[in-house]
Amino acid sequence: MESQLFTTILSFLGKKHVCNSCLGRQFGNLLTGLSNADRGSALKIFLTMEWEIQHRQAKAGLTEISSLISKDFTVGELSVQRYFPDIESNILPCQICQDFLSIPFLESLAKEARDLASEYEFSTFLVGSIFPPNVIDNEDIIRSSFNLEYGESIKSDFNRELGKILSKLLPEATVEFKAPDLVFTFNLIHNEIDIKSNPLFILGRYKKLERGIPQSKWFCRKCRGVGCNHCNFTGKMYQESVEEYTTTPFFEAAKGISSKFHGSGREDIDARMLGTGRPFVIEISEPKIRNLNFSQIAKQISENSKAKVEVTIDGLTNRTKVREIKTRSSRNAKAYRAVISLDKSLPDDLSFLETVANELTDILIQQRTPLRVAHRRADKIRIRKVSSFKVEEVTKNEITVYIICEGGLYVKELISGDQGRTQPSFSEKLGIPALVRELDVIEVFKSTDPI
Ligand SMILES: [Zn+2]
Ligand SMILES: [Zn+2]
């Protein structure tokens, strides 16, 4: 069997001076369980033996061996010295990687990265790199001119080997490809190490125990957050919000650079959010701390808001959950209690109330975008289901009802009819103009089906 590998390597090494890793990498897809440096070293050992045989037979001289000698191949240097003791050692840098793959260089980068990461709390990481384009191009050219078809890329070689060294320096952390806490990017063009801390996602539920608090921080309409007479130089329409009460303690504890609040739908400013609360995800960008004391933060939220906002924290989650709670689960069923003011007193015989309630049970409601939000939302028809409508309390001018409906139903308009834009409505069925005076969200169910 004529050795195809042998011929290829000989012609390649006759022209290029490379380190063990760069030689081994050209055959990186052959055999498994070996580092490229070990592959390269094995090939060089074999070739050096071959050279020694030929040298003893006086068929090969110093020129034939010189390209085998590299900083990481002492066998070559020692073997040459055996026959040429007076030769001065002059080892060139690798012509492919420019010694970016040499172990001492990788070790120095790994140490620097470890020191830079010391201010972060993390348990997983990933290594990435930016190579000078000429290094990549050069390797491509060499591969095509020497028909080297079993190679892997220099970047994945570098990232993996550096990752191995870094893992030893960071025994508490492991390499993770999908969602690492930290990403190290080694920029070999500018000789810089960049650390990116991936966001932290915290899943929880909030209760809003007092009316008049918006869910999101609401910038002043006039100055858009800058501060003006209209907003008393606060930049805000409302001085408090669920978003600010809940995100601030997380943001401070995690030492992030910014935060976002993602709620699963929202209640009106004047509605309370009771029961077990409304799901939310808080996203903290570039966190330095990841092990947060949830019960302490929950306590802090309650204290800062004077018990107007309370949270239950389920734990850490991921970006997929954000999409899920913002889209799919915002249609999850909700239970409401509404205190309704009537424009006229009720008659003495209240038996017709039961008929009205029955007519609004298990029914689809058509709602044009309510007048009160029409300035910021497109005029559309929304269809949502009411699965239960029960009268709980009745006085002369007020009725308290308990409603279970699909998420996204405009409850105030279900009661008032919104000048005919919502059909059918409680007002219409009752024959008396009616308005919601107080509204509470009693429960946010886990699915679109309230049971
Ligand atoms: Zn190299
Ligand atoms: Zn303002």
Side-chain angles (χ1 to χ4, degrees), residues 205-209 273-277 308-311:
R205 296 167 80 93
Y206 75 84
K207 287 192 278 186
K208 189 176 94 188
L209 303 166
M273 177 66 239
L274 307 174
T276 54
K308 290 181 235 175
V309 175
E310 305 266 358
V311 298

Side-chain angles (χ1 to χ4, degrees), residues 102-114:
S102 83
I103 300 289
F105 182 67
L106 294 179
E107 279 173 348
S108 72
L109 289 180
K111 279 186 190 139
E112 205 180 322
R114 176 201 55 193

Side-chain angles (χ1 to χ4, degrees), residues 351-380:
S351 55
F352 74 109
L353 279 180
E354 203 180 318
T355 317
V356 170
N358 284 341
E359 283 176 357
L360 291 171
T361 295
D362 238 340
I363 190 174
L364 290 177
I365 308 290
Q366 288 208 24
Q367 303 191 293
R368 259 181 79 185
T369 301
L371 288 168
R372 66 186 164 100
V373 297
H375 63 281
R376 59 191 161 94
R377 290 203 183 162
D379 191 8
K380 281 189 215 160

Side-chain angles (χ1 to χ4, degrees), residues 339-347 395-399 415-416 426-428 430-437:
V339 180
I340 301 165
S341 295
L342 305 175
D343 214 26
K344 281 194 291 186
S345 297
L346 288 164
T395 65
K396 267 285 167 213
N397 297 88
E398 278 192 349
I399 300 178
I415 303 305
S416 72
F426 183 68
S427 278
E428 179 198 333
L430 194 70
I432 301 174
L435 278 178
V436 170
R437 185 169 68 75

Side-chain angles (χ1 to χ4, degrees), residues 18-23 25 94-101:
V18 295
C19 70
N20 294 351
S21 292
C22 288
L23 176 60
R25 189 173 60 257
C94 171
Q95 284 181 297
I96 294 181
C97 72
Q98 299 172 10
D99 288 349
F100 284 142
L101 280 159

